[in-house]
Amino acid sequence: MEKKFFCKDRWLGLGMILVAGFFIWRSLILRPSNLNRDPGPAVYPLLGCGILILCGIILLIKPGPDGKRMKMNADEKKRFWSILAVYLFAILGSWALGVMYTIPICLFIISYMFSKSSKPEMSTKKRLLTTLIYTVIVSAAIYVIYVKILDVTIKNGVLIKMLFR
């Protein structure tokens, strides 16, 4: 039986390289910074694309499949779709509510999800309380660092602007 060269990992690697190529193209058309010795706005997207290309190459050159197709079980599928839903909420929530309102919600949900797998023996009430304390501390730290120390202006989302006009 002949093994296929393009298994799902290699398709994923090729897709990652193509997506990274698109973002490199889009990053290179950004205007350079006017400040002396400032690398400009394209540096971080280009670094991220470099890492994405490296991961794509690793997926392309790794040994091929052994003929067994890996499938997710029901619990893994549930976690996958849950995390995908949190990511979509982060995107839409940042637009609708603003970043400062969306980050704590997403942080709480993801932290709670990971606490269920890292400490399954912990009771739900204790897990909720520790996750809430963690979320408050990290969100406060993010606020202090970005808004107070770095003086970054973080805009509210569309719905918040409409509510508080």
Side-chain angles (χ1 to χ4, degrees):
M1 185 168 145
E2 185 179 317
K3 294 181 183 178
K4 293 182 179 179
F5 177 77
F6 272 102
C7 61
K8 64 182 177 181
D9 288 343
R10 291 199 171 114
W11 280 112
L12 177 64
L14 184 63
M16 290 169 64
I17 292 170
L18 292 174
V19 167
F22 172 76
F23 283 112
I24 287 172
W25 169 61
R26 297 302 297 169
S27 297
L28 291 176
I29 63 173
L30 293 172
R31 282 185 273 135
S33 176
N34 294 335
L35 301 174
N36 190 17
R37 298 177 44 91
D38 183 28
V43 169
Y44 291 113
L46 290 175
L47 285 173
C49 289
I51 293 170
L52 196 62
I53 288 173
L54 179 66
C55 292
I57 290 171
I58 290 171
L59 285 173
L60 280 175
I61 64 173
K62 75 175 196 152
D66 58 357
K68 295 180 184 176
R69 182 176 177 180
M70 292 179 56
K71 293 185 178 182
M72 290 191 283
N73 61 29
D75 188 47
E76 290 169 339
K77 285 180 183 178
K78 181 182 172 189
R79 292 185 85 180
F80 169 77
W81 289 111
S82 299
I83 288 178
L84 186 64
V86 172
Y87 287 158
L88 290 174
F89 171 76
I91 293 167
L92 295 174
S94 296
W95 171 79
L97 302 173
V99 174
M100 288 310 294
Y101 297 105
T102 305
I103 286 176
I105 297 168
C106 292
L107 181 63
F108 178 81
I109 294 169
I110 289 178
S111 299
Y112 183 75
M113 287 172 58
F114 286 131
S115 73
K116 285 172 77 172
S117 63
S118 66
K119 298 195 181 217
E121 72 281 352
M122 190 184 288
S123 69
T124 303
K125 193 174 186 179
K126 189 174 181 181
R127 186 180 297 121
L128 280 170
L129 183 63
T130 56
T131 304
L132 183 63
I133 292 169
Y134 171 77
T135 301
V136 168
I137 291 170
V138 172
S139 298
I142 290 171
Y143 177 79
V144 167
I145 291 169
Y146 283 98
V147 176
K148 296 299 180 186
I149 296 173
L150 296 175
D151 197 29
V152 174
T153 303
I154 298 177
K155 297 179 182 178
N156 287 325
V158 175
L159 294 177
I160 299 297
K161 287 179 186 175
M162 286 174 34
L163 288 174
F164 295 107
R165 275 192 177 175

